Amino acid sequence: MKKEIKDQWIADLRSGKFIQGKGALCKHGKHCCLGVLAQQITNYYVSDDTGRADFGPEKSSAFLDDKLLNQCGLKDLEQGRLSGMNDDGGSTFLEIADYIEQNILDE
């Protein structure tokens, strides 16, 4: 993963600026760990009827699309692991930040 983006993502996850949510990149002001990254690297669009934020050219609301993955250098397999940690594993942003720091390699 691109070091600059990774370092900022870790800092954002540890900052306390984001409220953790599940099941969407961002919904009603709550972000999953991938939503924190998406907000860092792209503009987002909030859909008034659902409260979800759609990111990138594909306006994805659940996962980063291929263009955004390539932009930050995150692999799809890593995205799936992080989504599982956030949504199903009950990991906090601090735990996810530690995982990213220790396990996702810099480009």
Side-chain angles (χ1 to χ4, degrees):
M1 179 171 195
K2 294 180 182 172
K3 182 172 177 21
E4 231 176 73
I5 293 172
K6 176 183 160 184
D7 290 347
Q8 184 60 54
W9 186 20
I10 291 167
D12 287 344
L13 289 170
R14 291 177 173 156
S15 72
K17 294 188 303 187
F18 295 91
I19 300 170
Q20 191 169 6
K22 296 181 179 185
L25 292 173
C26 180
K27 185 172 183 179
H28 300 298
K30 294 182 180 179
H31 292 71
C32 81
C33 63
L34 297 167
V36 172
L37 174 60
Q39 186 155 336
Q40 174 192 344
I41 62 174
T42 188
N43 292 326
Y44 66 94
Y45 312 92
V46 176
S47 171
D48 293 333
D49 57 336
T50 66
R52 286 181 189 255
D54 299 325
F55 293 84
E58 300 299 318
K59 295 192 176 179
S60 174
S61 61
F63 291 98
L64 302 180
D65 62 27
D66 289 341
K67 183 175 181 177
L68 295 178
L69 288 174
N70 289 334
Q71 184 178 340
C72 66
L74 185 66
K75 298 192 179 351
D76 193 46
L77 183 65
E78 295 165 335
Q79 173 176 229
R81 169 81 173 138
L82 293 166
S83 175
M85 290 175 69
N86 188 92
D87 293 354
D88 305 321
S91 298
T92 67
F93 277 170
L94 296 178
E95 292 167 330
I96 293 170
D98 289 345
Y99 175 85
I100 293 166
E101 190 171 56
Q102 296 166 11
N103 296 284
I104 295 183
L105 301 177
D106 297 338
E107 281 188 352

